[in-house]
């Protein structure tokens, strides 16, 4: 990533650790400042950190954020916990990056979208069948987020349940201002699984195909709030994913039906049906 050609940041990985390098283009002959991303992660009872791997960079003004994943295992190896990690640095002086903070949220990193410095981060969290549930410890059955290692529970308003929920699988959404990455602007813990995601400006769409139908969910993140906007179901199994209409005000979903044909649906941002073409390619197997 680079900023106005003045600073270039790279992320590389080897057998030992991940390394970030910051190059100052005002002094291109000077060696890059190199550092291993730091992190402050929660300590889970009876579990240990098995690995941390960083996979992406975001640069907003003088703030550099490194995104990765941390894995925890129990001592007997029967359960695991996966956490998405964001480690941030001030690089106003490219030769001396300064560590700022670490944010993390439960679950496997599924999707992310950066819009003008606002990062929507989506993870999928599954409650382990062998995990001991405790009424006094919400994080034993509910995904949570962490600020510099301190656990932050979602409020009652930040928890939603899908009408189609049939398993202890959560979709967890965090909204972060990359220019001030010392807290979450908002979080949403949604009991419901998504297999396909489409992130757009201020919108998150999620789909979960079943044997004969596809469940659709729409979220919005306007301002500093994440909201569950709508849920809908269409007949047929989604084939490839979502696509957006050129005007940006609607989306298209293509499905394969039980009649071995293809249907196409046009939906608005709240998943209201605008138009459809059903079974218009009969006796055909179309994958996308």
């Amino acid at each position: 990533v680079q900023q106005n050609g003045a600073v270039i940041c790279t992320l590389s990985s080897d057998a030992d650790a991940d390394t970030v390098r910051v190059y100052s283009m005002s002094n291109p002959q000077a060696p890059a400042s190199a550092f291993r991303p730091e992190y402050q992660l929660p300590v889970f009872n009876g579990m240990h950190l098995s690995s941390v791997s960083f996979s992406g960079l975001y640069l907003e003004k003088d703030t550099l954020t490194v995104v990765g994943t941390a894995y925890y295992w129990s001592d007997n190896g029967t359960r695991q916990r996966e956490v998405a990690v964001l480690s941030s640095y001030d690089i106003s002086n490219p030769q001396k990056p300064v560590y700022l903070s670490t944010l993390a949220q439960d679950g496997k990193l599924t999707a992310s979208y950066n819009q003008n410095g606002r990062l929507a981060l989506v993870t999928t969290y599954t409650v382990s069948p062998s995990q001991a549930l405790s009424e006094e410890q919400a994080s034993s059955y509910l995904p949570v987020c962490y600020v510099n290692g301190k656990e932050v529970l979602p409020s009652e308003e930040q928890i939603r349940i899908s009408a189609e929920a049939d398993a202890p699988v959560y979709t967890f959404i965090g909204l972060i201002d990359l220019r001030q990455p010392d807290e979450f602007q908002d979080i949403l813990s949604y009991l419901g699984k998504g297999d396909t995601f489409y992130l757009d400006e201020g919108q998150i769409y999620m789909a979960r195909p079943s044997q004969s139908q596809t469940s659709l969910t729409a979220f919005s993140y306007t301002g500093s709030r994440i909201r569950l906007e709508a849920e809908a179901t269409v007949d047929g199994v989604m084939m490839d994913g979502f696509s957006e209409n050129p005007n940006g005000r609607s989306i298209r979903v293509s499905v394969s039906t039980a009649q071995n044909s293809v249907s196409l649906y046009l939906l608005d941002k709240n998943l209201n049906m605008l138009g459809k073409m059903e079974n218009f390619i009969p006796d055909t197997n179309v994958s996308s």
Side-chain angles (χ1 to χ4, degrees), residues 1-10 21-33 59 91-95:
V1 294
Q2 61 179 321
Q3 182 193 103
N4 300 327
V7 175
I8 295 178
C9 305
T10 66
R21 289 179 173 82
V22 181
Y23 300 85
S24 173
M25 301 315 294
S26 61
N27 186 11
Q29 302 303 320
S33 58
L59 179 58
I91 59 167
S92 54
N93 181 352
Q95 301 302 317

Side-chain angles (χ1 to χ4, degrees), residues 33-107:
S33 58
F35 61 91
R36 295 180 178 181
E38 299 180 34
Y39 51 89
Q40 297 178 21
L41 294 175
V43 177
F44 302 116
N45 292 331
M47 305 187 76
H48 65 273
L49 180 67
S50 64
S51 67
V52 179
S53 61
F54 292 90
S55 57
L57 295 173
Y58 293 99
L59 179 58
E60 291 293 332
K61 294 188 176 180
D62 292 326
T63 303
L64 175 68
T65 300
V66 194
V67 181
T69 305
Y71 297 91
Y72 286 88
W73 287 91
S74 60
D75 291 334
N76 58 13
T78 58
R79 63 188 177 99
Q80 69 178 52
R81 194 155 183 141
E82 194 170 15
V83 182
V85 183
L86 295 90
S87 185
S88 297
Y89 304 82
D90 181 349
I91 59 167
S92 54
N93 181 352
Q95 301 302 317
K96 294 183 179 180
V98 177
Y99 171 74
L100 294 175
S101 62
T102 295
L103 300 179
Q105 66 185 58
D106 276 333

Side-chain angles (χ1 to χ4, degrees), residues 94-159:
Q95 301 302 317
K96 294 183 179 180
V98 177
Y99 171 74
L100 294 175
S101 62
T102 295
L103 300 179
Q105 66 185 58
D106 276 333
K108 179 181 180 181
L109 182 59
T110 305
S112 62
Y113 186 81
N114 178 23
Q115 176 198 343
N116 299 324
R118 286 194 314 158
L119 179 68
L121 195 67
V122 183
T123 55
T124 300
Y125 175 77
T126 302
V127 179
S128 171
S130 61
Q131 191 164 309
L133 305 183
S134 168
E135 289 187 23
E136 290 75 28
Q137 187 179 4
S139 59
S140 70
Y141 56 85
L142 185 72
V144 301
C145 61
Y146 310 88
V147 177
N148 293 325
K150 183 179 179 181
E151 184 179 274
V152 179
L153 297 174
S155 66
E156 182 179 346
E157 292 75 21
Q158 294 171 324
I159 301 172

Side-chain angles (χ1 to χ4, degrees), residues 241-254:
F242 300 92
S243 65
E244 186 180 52
N245 258 21
N247 61 21
R249 294 191 295 270
S250 56
I251 59 170
R252 293 183 287 248
V253 176
S254 57

